[in-house]
Amino acid sequence: MFDLLDYASLKFIWWILVGVLLMGFAITDGMDMGVGALLPFVARTDTERRIAINTVGPHWDGNQVWFITAGGAIFAAWPAVYAAAFSGFYMAMLLVLFALFFRPVGFDYRSKIEDRRWRSAWDWGLFVGGAVPALIFGVAFGNLLQGVPFHLDDMLRAHYQGSLLGALLPLLNPFALLAGAISLGMLTVHGGLWLHLRADDPVAGRARTVVTRLAPAVALLFAAAGVWLWFGVDGYRVVSAPEHGALSDPLAKQVARAAHAWFDIYAATPAAMLAPALGLLGPIAAAALSAARRPGLGFLANALGMVGIIASAGLSMFPFILPSSIDPRSSLTIWDAASSQLTLTVMFVAVAIFLPIVLGYTIWCYANMWGRVTAEGIEAGSHSAY
C-alpha cells in the first residue's frame, strides 16, 4: 500500500523537501527577522516603529511555522542528524531560542503601555530576536562546511569533542562568522525590501537606502566565502559506500577529506552552477530594483538570491548533511542517516496533501492583508494595531 517510491528515491526527495522548507523559512520568517534587525535604525519615532512592526505583525507567527516544520522534518526524516546536530550545537540552539523569546512578547506587549522607555526596550528586544538567530543560522552552516567535531561509536552513539559550556566559542570561528554575516545580511536586505514595499515614508525611504548599500555587500561576502571555501576549507568525498537503497548504517562507508571536494558537484553537474549564480546576481539585482523604486521585483530578486545561497551550501555538501571533522567515516549523509522507508513514505503522502493547503492559506492571508501601512492608519487603529 505504501510502496509508492523506492527507498533511495525517498531519501533524495526528503533532502529536497527539507531544503525547500529551509528556503521557505528564510524567505518568509527571514523577512520578519530582517524587519526586526532594522527596526531601531530605519524607524526613529514611535509611529514610524509601529509602521514597521505592522508590516509584519499579521504574518510573523505564521511565517515562523516554517522553522518549526523544518525542525520537525529533520527529526522525522533524519533522526540521527537531529540527535547529533542538536547535541553538538546545543549552546547555539539555546542562544537562538532565547533570542526568539523576544519576538512574541515584543510584538504583543510593545504597544500595551504608552511609555517611551518600555517601548524602546521592546524595540531592542525585537532587534535581538531578528538579528541573533539570523547570525547563528549562518554560523551553523559555516561550521557544517568545515565539519563538526563528533564521532560515532560501535552503537552509533554520537560523541562530541570538548565540553558543553565551551561548545559555543569554537563555533564562532572566522569562516563561520563570515557565513553568519552573509545570513544576517541577506535577511536584513529582505526585511528592508519588505519595508520599502509595505511601509510609508520616511521608513520606506530609509529601508531603500539600506538595501541599495547592503545588498551588493551580501553578494561580495558570498563570493568571498566561495573563494575561502576553495582555498582554505577541505571538503568531504565518499570513497566507498553501500547502495543508496540499503538500510542506514553511517559506519559502512569510507570518506576522505580533500581540497576542493565541496566543488565536485559543479564539475559533475554543470547545471548546479545556477545556484551560486543566483546567489551572486540576486542581491545585486535587488539593490538595482530597489534603487529604481521597484521594491516588489527587488523582493522577488532577493528571494531568488537567498534560494541560490542556500542551494549552493546544500549542493556543495551533497550528499553530506553533518560531516565529522575528527572521524570522516562518522559523517552523516542523506543515504545513511534516513528514517525507514515506511516513515519517509507516510511523511511524503502527508506533505503532498497538506503543503498545497498551507501554501494556499498563506497566499490568501497575504492577499487579504495587503496594503501600505501608513501613519494615518496606525493612529486611526491605535487600540488594535501593534
Side-chain angles (χ1 to χ4, degrees):
M1 175 180 178
F2 287 106
D3 294 334
L4 302 176
L5 295 167
D6 64 87
Y7 196 19
S9 297
L10 283 166
K11 292 177 179 179
F12 181 69
I13 287 171
W14 271 101
W15 175 74
I16 294 175
L17 288 176
V18 171
V20 169
L21 287 172
L22 292 175
M23 292 173 188
F25 164 66
I27 293 171
T28 56
D29 204 36
M31 170 190 74
D32 306 337
M33 292 182 180
V35 170
L38 286 173
L39 183 61
F41 309 106
V42 299
R44 296 171 184 172
T45 67
D46 182 66
T47 298
E48 290 176 1
R49 292 184 178 183
R50 291 184 68 190
I51 289 173
I53 291 171
N54 275 271
T55 63
V56 296
H59 309 293
W60 73 269
D61 47 355
N63 293 341
Q64 195 159 290
V65 172
W66 286 89
F67 178 51
I68 300 169
T69 305
I74 292 172
F75 170 74
W78 306 321
V81 173
Y82 183 92
F86 274 63
S87 297
F89 292 95
Y90 190 76
M91 296 303 294
M93 292 294 181
L94 277 181
L95 183 59
V96 168
L97 184 61
F98 290 150
L100 289 176
F101 286 163
F102 288 105
R103 299 185 72 204
V105 291
F107 281 114
D108 288 339
Y109 291 156
R110 189 248 178 217
S111 294
K112 298 297 184 184
I113 299 176
E114 294 187 9
D115 179 81
R116 183 182 57 82
R117 290 172 299 178
W118 169 270
R119 293 186 174 186
S120 178
W122 286 119
D123 290 339
W124 284 104
L126 289 172
F127 166 79
V128 171
V132 171
L135 177 68
I136 297 300
F137 291 144
V139 167
F141 269 98
N143 279 280
L144 290 179
L145 287 164
Q146 296 175 97
V148 182
F150 78 99
H151 73 277
L152 300 176
D153 61 20
D154 293 337
M155 300 293 290
L156 300 183
R157 294 173 298 190
H159 300 271
Y160 275 81
Q161 191 176 68
S163 64
L164 177 64
L165 293 179
L168 184 60
L169 288 179
L171 298 179
L172 302 176
N173 55 78
F175 180 79
L177 288 173
L178 173 60
I182 295 170
S183 175
L184 176 59
M186 72 179 188
L187 297 190
T188 302
V189 167
H190 210 51
L193 284 160
W194 181 254
L195 289 174
H196 188 190
L197 181 64
R198 293 288 314 279
D200 199 8
D201 281 325
V203 176
R206 296 187 193 117
R208 174 173 164 267
T209 300
V210 170
V211 170
T212 55
R213 294 177 180 177
L214 184 57
V218 172
L220 182 62
L221 290 174
F222 179 58
V227 173
W228 193 332
L229 203 62
W230 176 266
F231 289 104
V233 179
D234 289 342
Y236 291 71
R237 187 177 291 147
V238 176
V239 177
S240 63
E243 294 183 356
H244 296 336
L247 293 176
S248 297
D249 182 4
L251 297 180
K253 65 181 180 299
Q254 295 296 323
V255 176
R257 297 198 68 173
H260 317 317
W262 284 147
F263 293 84
D264 286 352
I265 192 168
Y266 302 109
T269 311
M273 286 296 297
L274 178 61
L278 280 175
L280 285 171
L281 298 177
I284 295 173
L289 289 165
S290 183
R293 288 178 167 77
R294 301 297 299 272
L297 292 176
F299 187 83
L300 177 60
N302 194 64
L304 291 174
M306 294 166 71
V307 168
I309 291 172
I310 296 171
S312 296
L315 287 169
S316 295
M317 291 179 60
F318 183 84
F320 292 92
I321 310 169
L322 190 67
S324 169
S325 60
I326 58 177
D327 180 24
R329 191 168 70 109
S330 295
S331 301
L332 300 174
T333 73
I334 70 169
W335 311 120
D336 57 32
S339 292
S340 68
Q341 183 174 2
L342 178 60
T343 299
L344 297 182
T345 302
V346 172
M347 289 168 53
F348 179 72
V349 172
V351 167
I353 295 172
F354 291 107
L355 185 58
I357 297 174
V358 172
L359 289 175
Y361 175 72
T362 301
I363 293 171
W364 181 87
C365 289
Y366 276 92
N368 281 271
M369 299 179 191
W370 193 257
R372 191 171 291 276
V373 181
T374 65
E376 292 77 10
I378 291 294
E379 292 167 358
S382 59
H383 295 291
S384 59
Y386 286 94

